[in-house]
Amino acid sequence: MKPHLVIFAKEPRMGRVKTRLARDIGKVSAWRFYRAMLADLPKRLRGKGPWRTVISHSPDRMKPSLLRACADGYVAQGGGDLGQRMLRPARYLPTGPFVVIGTDIPDIQAHHIRQAFKLLGSHDAVFGPADDGGFWLVGLKRHPILSNPYRRPVRWSHPETLADCLANLKGKKVAFLETLTDVDDGRSFRRWRENR
């Protein structure tokens, strides 16, 4: 059962990516940040562990070549809210655990992904908490049963996003990675630039 790393990505179109960040630093700077992360992250993580790297893209009709990002496979995200789209890989990936990450956490390294899969060996789910109350990674084991952290409504882009997911996993074994910064606004962008 090969593990799967799923990277969520949007078509890198100015004005359609990192819109909250764009309000603080401008559309061009936000777009450049997104393009840099989209090019760097898959390259940094692909082939650095036993996992297969898949990019899940939006919009569905987009040609994967527009992403200019290397992966072992490309799939459309499909419809629904973020939780429905993040759970969808459980239906189309071959057997094995999977973790989902986005493209706006510059500090993700291969050792984080290795640790997530290791923790899934003895846990139902694993989260990488973000310092804004959300999460930068979610990993789910599919055997013997898939746990659904999104079965009841989750407040997305909210300080209680992770807490809502954890409430949906009551009674399940959940592990955590270190807390990282999600670059979503000017403050987090400036902090990231200062620490580079």
Side-chain angles (χ1 to χ4, degrees):
M1 294 196 302
K2 194 171 180 94
H4 309 280
L5 169 63
V6 181
I7 302 175
F8 264 44
K10 288 183 181 177
E11 182 178 4
R13 224 175 244 219
M14 195 181 313
R16 294 197 180 171
V17 294
K18 305 306 296 172
T19 52
R20 275 195 312 169
L21 178 61
R23 284 195 293 266
D24 291 341
I25 68 170
K27 285 182 184 178
V28 173
S29 294
W31 175 73
R32 284 186 180 144
F33 169 79
Y34 184 79
R35 296 260 323 208
M37 292 299 103
L38 183 58
D40 178 60
L41 196 60
K43 187 174 13 173
R44 191 178 343 139
L45 300 176
R46 184 176 176 232
K48 300 298 191 296
W51 56 81
R52 182 173 177 265
T53 302
V54 176
I55 294 182
S56 182
H57 59 81
S58 173
D60 292 357
R61 67 187 180 283
M62 183 192 83
K63 292 181 181 175
S65 60
L66 291 174
L67 294 170
R68 295 186 181 150
C70 291
D72 300 312
Y74 302 86
V75 294
Q77 287 182 22
D81 72 10
L82 183 57
Q84 292 170 311
R85 288 180 282 134
M86 286 196 297
L87 199 60
R88 191 163 283 121
R91 292 203 297 266
Y92 62 72
L93 289 174
T95 57
F98 69 99
V99 300
V100 176
I101 62 171
T103 50
D104 50 6
I105 312 288
D107 294 329
I108 296 176
Q109 300 297 329
H111 70 86
H112 294 117
I113 308 303
R114 277 193 290 276
Q115 181 68 10
F117 284 122
K118 183 178 178 184
L119 289 167
L120 282 176
S122 55
H123 294 81
D124 300 303
V126 61
F127 286 93
D131 56 11
D132 62 1
F135 53 91
W136 56 268
L137 176 147
V138 58
L140 300 172
K141 186 180 349 187
R142 294 189 281 169
H143 179 77
I145 189 166
L146 174 70
S147 300
N148 183 355
Y150 325 112
R151 60 190 170 92
R152 284 195 290 278
V154 172
R155 291 168 284 181
W156 298 108
S157 299
H158 188 276
E160 299 297 321
T161 298
L162 178 56
D164 289 348
C165 291
L166 294 175
N168 286 328
L169 293 172
K170 195 169 184 176
K172 302 293 183 181
K173 289 180 73 178
V174 180
F176 298 93
L177 300 171
E178 68 180 290
T179 300
L180 296 179
T181 298
D182 182 353
V183 177
D184 264 339
D185 56 23
R187 192 170 133 267
S188 55
F189 180 78
R190 285 186 289 276
R191 193 164 67 238
W192 167 69
R193 290 286 298 267
E194 288 164 7
N195 294 325
R196 284 172 71 186

